[in-house]
Amino acid sequence: MADRDDKDLLGAAKMDRRGLLKCMAWTGTGVVWTLSGGVPRTLGLIGGAAAAEAPQGGLTFVQISDSHIGFHLPPNPDPSATLTEAINKIKAMRTQPAFLVHTGDISHLSKEEQWDDADQIIKSANKQVFFLPGEHDVADADNGKAYLARYGKNTKGKGWYSFDHGGVHFIGLINVFEFQPGFKSAGLAKLGDEQLEWLEKDVAGRSASTPIVLMAHLPLWTIYEQWGWGTQDAGRALGYLKRFGSVTVLNGHIHQIIQKVEGNVTFHTADSTAFPQPAPGTAPAPGPMKEVAANELHKYLGIRTVNYVRGKSAPALTDSTLVA
Amino acid sequence: MLTIVNPALRRRRITLLLGAVGVTALLTAALPELTAAGVAVVQAAASPATVQIDNFAFAPATLTITAGTTVTWKNEDDSPHRIGDKDGTFKSAALDTDDSFSHTFATPGEYPYICTIHPYMVGKIIVKPAGKS
């Protein structure tokens, strides 16, 4: 695999999170990314001229992730409040998104009251929402039955789905039910045969010029094996998408933005709306960065806007933090 | 890394346990693997064996007990964890911070288990027949 090279490309794996943020001058703002020829390029900071000229007439949607409602420890004793701030940020957007996607860990512990709280907050955006479960959403006694009963209507198998919007084909994959236990090899997520067979059929016969957005909770590339940050059989899924000219992969789970380009495929993990996690290998464990001070927390939380302009196959991604 | 700190904590706990049973001669019981003597102490104390969960790791990662011993996992981490073995013999609910889960091992054997939320976290319970060491 080319993972080692890719980490070098991003530089993110070798730097602690704070250093990375400083280095990229993200403090207090967001960065506008545009994908030109498949290579992400920074256009400017949110609020700058580039962002103000957000292209009109295309398809815009917003990704939120890892809201962890029910978490109650440092650095964020109140993730409901920060989710509310994220939703308020969406409501204030000049170009309103067509819909929202939530890439998992809606709740902290798969409890109905946690989902109730999350739904109540998210509902105020008045948008259609496409949900995916995180591993924290399938931690009920019946291994995900509660999530599927609540969010799994109109989905296939164990919650996966696809839909089309504005000429873009969206695929929501589930990688929190199967896994490879870490006894002899890395403990990674799995998509599983049934879902992969469905995916192969789902994309068969579609025009290669159709832009694809592939979403899942855990990263669909191996970011850091030692922390289980990867999906063992993701390569097979990406193989089915090789012929497509533009594939954008959106993941959550690691509570920080890491991006990678591989041919026509761009990979992006997202910030959490609840708490940050350390950059790969910079801490003994991937738990919450509890040392983040209350007045610094918002710099580590954020939402992502994705904009497709008609006539261009690759989208522009805008990551913005929750700093007011 | 806490994986370095944990054996020290464990050593302290077992030392206390040994002191309580009055088996002072066993103070040098070899770690990290519990020796036969260590197993005997867990049995003699009639006290449940404990696996601490912290920093996304089980400590001790391998615990040897005698049949009939109850093992308690205590989640002292900031993240929830969930115990499950390969064959579904034992499985906890998702354990939030400070929650614990107990299981009594009646049948000798080796029981590898994982955190089903973070499958790269692995541990093992080795159950020896009761009355033997």
Side-chain angles (χ1 to χ4, degrees):
Chain A
M1 289 293 288
D3 286 318
R4 194 164 297 114
D5 295 332
D6 296 319
K7 278 178 195 161
D8 289 342
L9 173 74
L10 285 165
K14 288 182 176 167
M15 203 182 287
D16 72 39
R17 185 99 198 277
R18 199 163 289 141
L20 179 70
L21 289 171
K22 267 186 203 148
C23 173
M24 299 182 85
W26 281 5
T27 38
T29 45
V31 173
V32 177
W33 292 94
T34 179
L35 300 186
S36 172
V39 178
R41 203 156 50 86
T42 307
L43 270 187
L45 298 172
I46 293 261
E53 288 161 22
Q56 303 293 311
L59 167 65
T60 299
F61 67 95
V62 169
Q63 177 190 8
I64 55 173
S65 202
D66 296 270
S67 45
H68 280 267
I69 301 302
F71 181 77
H72 53 83
L73 297 169
N76 187 358
D78 191 4
S80 294
T82 45
L83 176 61
T84 304
E85 289 173 47
I87 295 298
N88 287 342
K89 207 174 167 80
I90 296 165
K91 287 197 277 193
M93 282 170 59
R94 226 179 314 165
T95 305
Q96 278 294 295
F99 55 84
L100 313 182
V101 297
H102 191 307
T103 45
D105 284 354
I106 307 155
S107 70
H108 194 53
L109 278 170
S110 308
K111 294 190 170 148
E112 295 294 342
E113 64 267 25
Q114 297 173 350
W115 287 320
D116 285 345
D117 282 358
D119 287 353
Q120 198 62 33
I121 296 164
I122 295 168
K123 206 167 70 179
S124 76
N126 208 16
K127 298 278 183 263
Q128 186 174 12
V129 189
F130 295 93
F131 288 97
L132 288 170
E135 72 282 1
H136 288 252
D137 297 313
V138 297
D140 58 310
D142 293 316
N143 303 317
K145 204 171 158 189
Y147 170 87
L148 288 172
R150 188 171 186 130
Y151 295 100
K153 293 178 188 82
N154 306 317
T155 64
K156 315 270 191 225
K158 281 190 152 183
W160 51 84
Y161 56 80
S162 69
F163 63 93
D164 291 279
H165 204 298
V168 179
H169 187 61
F170 290 82
I171 303 165
L173 296 185
I174 309 290
N175 54 2
V176 294
F177 284 116
E178 294 194 37
F179 48 75
Q180 169 188 282
F183 291 113
K184 285 180 182 149
S185 49
L188 295 179
K190 279 180 82 173
L191 295 161
D193 288 343
E194 188 190 350
Q195 182 170 214
L196 284 161
E197 280 157 25
W198 169 83
L199 174 66
E200 184 177 21
K201 285 191 195 119
D202 181 75
V203 298
R206 282 179 200 279
S207 154
S209 63
T210 309
I212 303 281
V213 173
L214 188 62
M215 307 177 291
H217 177 65
L218 276 100
L220 289 172
W221 82 104
T222 302
I223 292 176
Y224 195 59
E225 217 170 61
Q226 291 90 326
W227 288 352
W229 287 1
T231 304
Q232 190 248 337
D233 50 4
R236 206 174 128 196
L238 295 164
Y240 299 143
L241 298 168
K242 255 197 164 77
R243 65 189 178 84
F244 290 90
S246 162
V247 179
T248 303
V249 180
L250 303 177
N251 300 127
H253 186 64
I254 68 168
H255 298 216
Q256 63 195 286
I257 298 165
I258 292 185
Q259 319 198 51
K260 177 181 102 140
V261 182
E262 203 175 279
N264 293 334
V265 186
T266 61
F267 299 82
H268 314 264
T269 61
D271 273 337
S272 159
T273 66
F275 57 84
Q277 287 180 326
T282 60
M289 288 169 65
K290 52 189 169 194
E291 70 278 14
V292 171
N295 61 357
E296 295 280 308
L297 178 67
H298 289 67
K299 292 180 188 173
Y300 292 91
L301 311 179
I303 62 167
R304 165 176 291 148
T305 309
V306 183
N307 186 273
Y308 280 91
V309 183
R310 259 178 232 292
K312 286 188 179 181
S313 62
L317 271 68
T318 307
D319 283 301
S320 47
T321 70
L322 293 190
V323 175
Chain B
M1 288 181 51
L2 244 132
T3 44
I4 297 164
V5 174
N6 283 341
L9 287 175
R10 180 171 16 139
R11 192 170 301 122
R12 200 177 311 135
R13 187 173 305 140
I14 288 173
T15 304
L16 287 171
L17 193 58
L18 287 165
V21 195
V23 198
T24 46
L26 292 179
L27 272 171
T28 52
L31 293 170
E33 287 289 334
L34 280 177
T35 59
V39 171
V41 168
V42 169
Q43 195 181 26
S47 134
T50 303
V51 178
Q52 181 202 31
I53 311 170
D54 200 5
N55 264 1
F56 288 69
F58 299 110
T62 300
L63 177 65
T64 304
I65 54 167
T66 51
T69 303
T70 298
V71 176
T72 299
W73 284 265
K74 191 166 186 328
N75 184 12
E76 296 172 5
D77 207 350
D78 300 327
S79 295
H81 297 291
R82 189 177 194 180
I83 314 304
D85 80 324
K86 256 180 164 172
D87 312 317
T89 315
F90 56 103
K91 182 163 191 178
S92 76
L95 306 176
D96 204 355
T97 305
D98 295 331
D99 285 353
S100 49
F101 164 71
S102 297
H103 180 77
T104 303
F105 290 84
T107 313
E110 293 203 356
Y111 298 86
Y113 64 92
I114 58 171
C115 164
T116 62
I117 301 176
H118 310 101
Y120 72 93
M121 291 170 58
V122 300
K124 191 197 273 184
I125 306 294
I126 299 172
V127 183
K128 296 261 167 86
K132 291 183 187 174
S133 58

